[in-house]
């Protein structure tokens, strides 16, 4: 037990130390060889914690805003640039650097050590996390260093691969790792801060991650998507039925959930920045969904939302403290792929005719899993734990069993959007909307206008991109622009340029 406490403490300490470091430390071109002399079994949880610190921190904030779960408060300033699509190349460069010089650097080292010792279990675990991390990066930036990344002093200017090349590369790497024989337990025990050493869960995580990667290509490369999904089902279709999550946070300074640390800490001097967006709020409210109480803490006027991007609304018109704020727990896990997301991915595969099973049953299990997750993360919200989910599934959330494929996909993706908002995985909800255009964009333009359909997306009131153009990607970091001439092509892209799989 002492070993578990030490290793988890080490992982958390490294995660938050790295998250607070400057740009020079967090550089994709930093030599990854010299500092790594620790046992691979200890480096692995530090890498996972590094990924979790970014995905569950900076990217969770951005994703919650861009997926219109939250909007910037009209009484403070912290995330105005996010909400207005007014990003700069210096934004998120620390996150980029942490994922490369921290997480991916660690996974590379662990894979090399595991390979040298024929530890196929640890090799697969590191490859799963490497794949997950590269997937997040390429879905947000499109072109990124991949094939030549992490070569240290031997190559300080790695070439940039296209998003499609990255997808093909991570698919090949993960499939190859899966083909290695493994045992039932990971052999690193408590140092596995995701599944506690259960290799069957890691194999399910690998399959579910591949399922997500293939489905993301449905519009750009439908034949590749179909072949990939069918291959997973032919091999048994064994996917996650539990959460892939990092669940080690305690309510102590520096050890809390990274989203809570970054948004709710004393350093910001306010916990009011993230407010309920009318987009998600109206959807939950219109359907009398008790999850609304788990998403938002009521303001002093009860549950109330602010229109997306309306952060310049005078306080004389909307009192900032009257608007509901984001409910964020200091001890909630960081979810990598949730149980609910796994069920919705499987339901989509079946509806498309590429997988086997009962799409309606999986859809309903996804909704139930979302409620169960929120009840676990926020036990103070009794309405969620006591909710009659059966009534919702028989009423407003009934699966359109006799409807068209489009109707079924709309139901699945919409509920996945809600579930991802609940797990603070808004970045995935935003990425999925780019792929599917679900939820749809409102025809009336404003969520306060007559005829607005609850849950439809609206262009942010203070958006700077013009003509209703939503953000589609992040900007290549300034550190890369100034240090790596191979970044020029990627750096020429704007925030509204679509990534390769976004062809809608």
């Amino acid at each position: 037990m002492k070993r578990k406490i030490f290793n988890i403490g080490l992982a958390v300490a490294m995660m938050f130390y790295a998250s607070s470091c400057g740009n020079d430390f967090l550089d994709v071109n930093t030599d990854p060889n010299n500092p790594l002399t620790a046992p691979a079994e200890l480096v692995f949880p530090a890498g996972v914690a590094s990924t979790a610190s970014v995905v569950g921190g900076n990217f969770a904030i951005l994703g919650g805003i861009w997926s219109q779960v939250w909007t910037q408060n009209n009484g403070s300033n912290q995330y105005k640039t996010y909400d207005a699509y007014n990003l700069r190349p210096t934004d998120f460069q620390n996150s980029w650097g942490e994922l490369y010089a921290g997480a991916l650097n660690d996974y590379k080292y662990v894979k090399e050590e595991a390979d040298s010792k024929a530890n196929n279990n640890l090799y697969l675990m590191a490859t799963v996390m490497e794949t997950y991390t590269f997937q997040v990066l390429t879905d947000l930036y499109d072109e990124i260093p991949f094939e030549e990344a992490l070569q240290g002093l031997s190559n300080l200017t790695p070439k940039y691969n296209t998003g499609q090349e990255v997808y093909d590369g991570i698919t090949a790497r993960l499939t190859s790792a899966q083909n290695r024989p493994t045992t039932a337990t990971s052999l690193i025990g408590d140092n596995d801060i995701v599944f506690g050493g259960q290799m069957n869960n890691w194999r399910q995580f690998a399959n579910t991650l591949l399922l997500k990667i293939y489905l993301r290509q449905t519009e750009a490369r439908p034949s590749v998507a179909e072949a990939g999904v069918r291959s997973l089902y032919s091999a048994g279709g064994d996917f996650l039925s539990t959460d892939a999550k990092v669940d080690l946070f305690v309510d102590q300074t520096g050890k809390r959930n990274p989203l809570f640390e970054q948004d709710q800490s004393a350093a910001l001097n306010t916990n009011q920045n993230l407010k309920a967006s009318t987009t998600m709020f109206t959807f939950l409210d219109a359907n009398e969904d008790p999850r609304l109480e788990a998403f938002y803490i009521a303001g002093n006027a009860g549950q109330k939302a602010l229109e997306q991007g309306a952060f310049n609304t005078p306080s004389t018109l909307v009192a900032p403290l009257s608007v509901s704020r984001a409910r964020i727990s200091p001890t909630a896990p960081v979810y990598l792929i949730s149980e609910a997301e796994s069920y919705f991915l499987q339901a989509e595969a079946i509806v498309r005719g590429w997988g086997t099973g009962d799409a309606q049953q999986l859809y309903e299990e996804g909704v139930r899993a979302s409620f169960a997750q929120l009840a676990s993360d926020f036990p103070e919200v009794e309405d969620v734990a006591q909710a009659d989910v059966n009534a919702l599934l028989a009423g407003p959330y009934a699966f359109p069993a006799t409807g068209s494929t489009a109707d079924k996909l709309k139901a699945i993706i919409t509920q996945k959007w809600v579930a991802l908002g609940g797990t603070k995985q808004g970045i995935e909800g935003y990425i999925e909307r780019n792929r599917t255009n679900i939820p749809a964009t409102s025809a009336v333009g404003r969520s306060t206008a007559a005829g607005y359909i609850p849950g439809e997306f609206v262009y942010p009131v203070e958006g700077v991109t013009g003509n209703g153009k939503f953000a589609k990607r992040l900007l290549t970091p300034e550190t890369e622009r100034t240090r790596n001439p191979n970044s020029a092509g990627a750096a020429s892209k704007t925030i509204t340029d679509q990534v390769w799989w976004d062809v809608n």
Side-chain angles (χ1 to χ4, degrees), residues 193-423:
I193 60 174
V194 180
F195 294 121
Q198 298 301 311
M199 283 308 300
N200 184 56
N201 287 340
W202 278 104
R203 287 195 164 277
Q204 291 175 336
F205 188 6
N207 287 334
T208 310
L209 181 55
L210 284 171
L211 180 60
K212 179 170 71 170
I213 288 170
Y214 288 132
L215 288 175
R216 193 138 290 161
Q217 303 174 70
T218 53
E219 310 306 311
R221 296 198 296 181
S223 60
V224 171
E226 178 178 358
V229 172
R230 288 188 182 279
S231 70
L232 292 172
Y233 279 89
S234 295
D238 190 18
F239 304 108
L240 282 170
S241 57
T242 189
D243 299 309
K245 63 185 179 183
V246 177
D247 188 11
L248 46 71
F249 305 105
V250 294
D251 195 3
Q252 299 174 16
T253 301
K255 296 182 180 181
R256 300 183 180 103
N257 172 285
L259 174 58
F260 188 94
E261 285 283 351
Q262 292 179 227
D263 181 70
Q264 306 276 303
S265 68
L268 289 182
N269 202 33
T270 180
N271 60 7
Q272 295 288 325
N273 275 300
L274 295 174
K275 293 291 190 170
S277 169
T278 304
T279 306
M280 177 65 79
F281 186 98
T282 57
F283 178 83
L284 297 173
D285 188 49
N287 290 295
E288 298 182 357
D289 190 327
R291 286 179 291 182
L292 185 147
E293 300 293 331
F295 273 60
Y296 309 115
I297 297 174
N300 59 20
Q303 289 285 13
K304 178 180 178 181
L306 182 67
E307 189 172 16
Q308 191 71 39
F311 49 75
N312 284 336
T313 302
S315 59
T316 53
L317 294 179
V318 177
L321 292 178
S322 71
V323 180
S324 304
R325 64 182 175 93
R327 187 181 292 276
I328 301 171
S329 168
T331 60
V334 169
Y335 292 88
L336 304 174
I337 293 182
S338 68
E339 179 182 356
E341 183 181 2
S342 174
Y343 294 144
F344 290 129
L345 288 168
Q346 294 173 64
E348 178 180 349
I350 295 166
V351 165
R352 291 185 181 276
W354 305 339
T356 57
D358 188 329
Q360 179 173 343
Q361 179 182 344
L362 287 162
Y363 164 84
E364 292 178 351
E365 287 179 357
V367 175
R368 295 181 194 281
S370 174
F371 273 83
Q373 169 259 312
L374 287 168
S376 175
D377 290 351
F378 304 105
E380 69 273 20
V381 184
E382 296 180 358
D383 287 351
V384 174
Q386 299 171 359
D388 187 349
V389 184
N390 288 334
L392 287 166
L393 291 172
Y397 297 157
F399 186 73
T402 61
S404 65
T405 296
D407 292 335
K408 295 173 183 177
L409 290 176
K410 180 181 178 181
I412 292 167
I413 303 301
T414 299
Q415 284 300 321
K416 181 158 68 167
W417 168 60
V418 176
L420 291 169
T423 52

Side-chain angles (χ1 to χ4, degrees), residues 29-36 101 105 108-109 150-153:
N29 303 320
T30 300
D31 182 358
N33 301 314
N34 294 327
L36 290 176
N105 184 15
K108 178 176 183 288
Y109 175 80
L150 307 171
Q151 295 181 357
L153 296 177

Side-chain angles (χ1 to χ4, degrees), residues 42-61:
L42 294 183
V43 174
F44 178 71
V48 175
S50 178
T51 294
S53 73
V54 175
V55 174
N58 284 344
F59 287 171
I61 294 169

